[in-house]
Structure formats: C-alpha cells, structure tokens
Amino acid sequence: SETPAGSSNAPASETSSGGAVELNLWSFNIGGFTDAAAWEPIVAAFNEANPDITINVTPINYQDGDQKLTTAITSGQAPDIIFEGPERIVGNYAREGLMVDLSDLWTAGGSDIAEGISSVSQLDGTYYMYPLSVAAHCMAINYEVFEAAGALQYIDEETRTWTTEGFEAAMAAIKTAIDNGTVTVATPGIVYCGAQGGDQGTRALVNNLYSDYYVNEDGTSYNANSENNVKALTLLQTMVNDGSLSANASFAAADELQQFQQETCAMTFCWGTSNAMSYASEDYTQISVPFPSDDGVPELEYLVNGFCVFDNGDDAKAAASKEFIKFICDDAEWGPKSVVQTGAFPVRASYGNLYEGNEEMSLLASWTQYYGPYYNTKEGFAAMRPLWFNMLQQVFNGTPAQEAADAFNTGANA
C-alpha cells in the first residue's frame, strides 16, 4: 500500500482541473532510500515551496518490483514517478510508449552531465530519464577471511584490482583454509543462478575473466558464445566442480548477499555502494573489489539512478512530477543531499566530491575509469535475462559451456 511521505497544506486532487495535485512515487530500494521515511525530509523541503503537491511514496524492491510494476501498468494504475535505472524504464517502458518526454529538464539542468550518462537516459534522441547518481557494479570480499587464508596476496590492495590467475589462486587458498578449519565460512563464493536479480554480477564475472564483452563491438549480437566467454564459463564450471566455488540454482543475488553478510561465503559478486549500505556488517570488514580479469584491468557495468515519469494522461500530474524531479536532482541543497542518500556519486560535475576525506568512497569514485559499454537498454534486454541464468544452470549441471552458450546466443538474439 502507499505510504504518505509528505503532505500538502490543502486537500489534494487527482484530476488535472487545476489546483492541488497528488502524485504516486514508486522507489526501488537504492542506497538509503529503503522505505518511505527516507523520503520525508526531501518531500517536506519540496512542499515548503510547493504546498499543493502531495507525494505518496511506495517502496518496492528488486525481488518482486518488476512484477508489481507490470501488474500496475496492466491495470491502468502505473505510478506517476519511478525511481530506478534506465535498463527498466528506457529499455522497456519507453519503447512501449509509456513514458513522458523529460527533454525539457535536460535543457534546463543537464549541461554538466557526462555524455555517457546522457546517452543511456534517452531513446532515439528523446530523454525519458533524469539522472541523480551513478556507481559501479563490483564485488566485495570478507577481508579477514582472505587474510586468514593467505589470499590477500592475490589482490593489489592499493588499487583493489586482481587477475584471473590470482582469483583462481585466492579461491583455492580459501577452500584449503575451509578444509583445514582456518576459516569458518562454508564456501569461497556462490555463483547464483536461480533468477535474474543481480545478474549484472555474474555477467561481469564471465566477461571480465578473459577480457571479453557481453555484446559484440557494433552492438548487433550477444556474445556469450565467443571463445573467451566460453573459456570463462568453462573455468567457472571447473572451479565449482573442484569446490573452490559453489553454484546455487535457487539463489538470486539477494540470497547470495545475505550469505555474504552472514559470513557463509567469503565474497559476493553483486556489490556496489547501494548494497554496501543494505548489507553492511559490523562483524567483519567488507572490502569492495573490481572483477578479476586476465590482464588485471577490469571493465565494470554501472548503475545510473534516476527518475522517470509514466504518461498517465494527466498533464497536471506530469508537470508536477517534473517539478519534484527537478527539485531533488538540481536543487543546490537537496540535490547533493539526495546523491549522498543513494550512497553513489553525482552525475553532475558541478557537485564536485561529496565524500571529501573518505578514502574508500574516493577510491570507488575513481573506478569510473573502468566503466565498460552500456548495453542494458538494448531492445529485447528484458526477454534475454532469464536465458542467462538458465544457461548458467546448464553449465553447472554439466552441459559443455560452448553448447550452453550457443543455445543462449540463439535465444537471446531472437
């Protein structure tokens, strides 16, 4: 149900006849935006200048958020504003003609947003997302477990980068430490493949191991069955068979993250600034690391957090939605505050370094140098995603990697 996160000074109206307007904002659990209460200070500040706009906040999560959105859209009850990334909104709903054109927000306030962020916020030249923050998808390790197992030697602790060879050696060292009782985790790491949640982690793991890509260079075909990606899948299959990794066909990323938080596994393949807030632990040290690659230079996927507006046939609601989005992203005080609330980094160069003196966040900010091609808004992306974790299941059930990857590519390209 919807939870009011702010109130106006006058009764709200759900019509476009003028006067008060009531908006429904659905927010995925990004960083510190985990519940409606997190929005209350922002909405209250917005209402000081906009008392006739009520914002009702409904938190949703990555486990069932897609299903809830689909149900709402199908029943004609889509929210007015959605807080999420471009892969869902631009890649799916904008293609279906469901979103409001936000190009006027870009004209007014998007001049200092990097081209890479700009390009993923639009479809065929029309902007459907107005971005707030950005951060790399990465991994994390249990520092104490790696230290006790003698596995830290395989990671450059200054840059946090590591090689595929080092990754293999580190996992073998942790397995040995588990076997002899030196550490208490149950497994070095879990390759989750039970659902699409967090699949960016397993995709990046496969693509980085031998420096390949998920799509080909001109973006016209998926690339899972390339020589290097098959080599990576075969390596993971071997490591799971050897026990230096585990595979779980009933886990999505949230399940693996809980295991990492509870010290059941020594690392997670689904980390970033948002999950670092959601799955923090005071019992051990969580260290962010990029994905291992054969040359030691990772290519990372990244998350753009931003706002989109569903076209619900009400011009007054669309205009009010834009006013709120402009406030939360561009306001001199609440723009930077909102970025920090996400736990990520500003897309606006004018905001500068919002984490001055924080060495960890400064290091993570420097990982923009590793950002790889953004393919998440490709047509058919949503239909492709179930094929990926199904392919992983086949690989870990013993299907030759080339055979499983060929079948994936055929289905994904279709």
Side-chain angles (χ1 to χ4, degrees), residues 379-395:
E379 190 167 6
F381 180 81
M384 172 278 301
R385 294 179 71 187
L387 303 180
W388 174 256
F389 68 81
N390 285 333
M391 180 199 68
L392 291 180
Q393 290 179 10
Q394 293 173 33
V395 169

Side-chain angles (χ1 to χ4, degrees), residues 20-44:
V21 176
E22 183 170 352
L23 301 175
N24 293 316
L25 163 65
W26 283 23
S27 170
F28 276 86
N29 51 319
I30 298 169
F33 288 110
T34 55
D35 54 29
W39 290 91
E40 289 177 358
I42 298 166
V43 173

Side-chain angles (χ1 to χ4, degrees), residues 46-240:
F46 173 73
N47 281 150
E48 289 181 9
N50 301 274
D52 290 334
I53 301 176
T54 297
I55 310 290
N56 298 318
V57 177
T58 299
I60 55 178
N61 59 50
Y62 290 102
Q63 282 68 58
D64 60 6
D66 289 318
Q67 181 180 347
K68 288 183 176 179
L69 269 174
T70 299
T71 300
I73 292 167
T74 302
S75 63
Q77 300 294 318
D80 300 294
I81 306 171
I82 182 76
F83 182 45
E84 180 29 10
E87 63 270 17
R88 284 177 173 81
I89 309 305
V90 178
N92 296 342
Y93 303 131
R95 290 186 188 278
E96 298 171 17
L98 300 177
M99 310 310 296
V100 171
D101 182 349
L102 301 183
S103 298
D104 52 342
L105 293 180
W106 280 86
T107 300
S111 61
D112 68 338
I113 299 175
E115 196 281 330
I117 307 299
S118 167
S119 65
V120 305
S121 302
Q122 59 180 285
L123 180 65
D124 299 328
T126 299
Y127 289 97
Y128 293 104
M129 188 179 81
Y130 200 52
L132 175 65
S133 63
V134 61
H137 292 301
C138 62
M139 295 175 54
I141 65 168
N142 182 318
Y143 187 89
E144 286 79 6
V145 167
F146 270 65
E147 185 176 44
L152 283 178
Q153 63 180 304
Y154 303 112
I155 297 176
D156 183 326
E157 291 197 59
E158 182 177 351
T159 65
R160 305 276 178 85
T161 57
W162 49 341
T163 65
T164 300
E165 183 180 1
F167 172 69
E168 290 183 78
M171 297 304 96
I174 294 173
K175 180 183 183 300
T176 298
I178 293 171
D179 291 343
N180 64 28
T182 304
V183 298
T184 57
V185 294
T187 180
I190 304 169
V191 185
Y192 49 89
C193 49
Q196 68 186 31
D199 55 0
Q200 74 277 354
T202 53
R203 293 195 305 260
L205 175 64
V206 170
N207 298 155
N208 270 278
L209 286 172
Y210 294 103
S211 298
D212 214 331
Y213 296 100
Y214 199 62
V215 297
N216 63 6
E217 288 189 12
D218 62 7
T220 59
S221 171
Y222 286 101
N223 201 41
N225 65 343
S226 69
E227 179 181 353
N228 283 337
N229 282 331
V230 168
K231 186 178 178 181
L233 288 167
T234 303
L235 172 63
L236 294 176
Q237 185 183 55
T238 300
M239 293 177 71
V240 168

Side-chain angles (χ1 to χ4, degrees), residues 233-300:
L233 288 167
T234 303
L235 172 63
L236 294 176
Q237 185 183 55
T238 300
M239 293 177 71
V240 168
N241 291 339
D242 291 346
S244 58
L245 282 177
S246 300
N248 195 310
S250 65
F251 273 16
D255 305 295
E256 182 246 24
L257 283 161
Q258 290 173 3
Q259 297 297 301
F260 177 63
Q261 185 183 44
Q262 296 165 8
E263 298 186 77
T264 300
C265 55
M267 63 184 181
T268 173
F269 297 117
C270 189
W271 204 242
T273 55
S274 180
N275 281 343
M277 298 172 70
S278 300
Y279 294 93
S281 173
E282 297 180 355
D283 298 327
Y284 67 98
T285 308
Q286 298 169 324
I287 297 292
S288 300
V289 297
F291 288 89
S293 60
D294 52 351
D295 60 359
V297 181
E299 291 218 8
L300 303 180

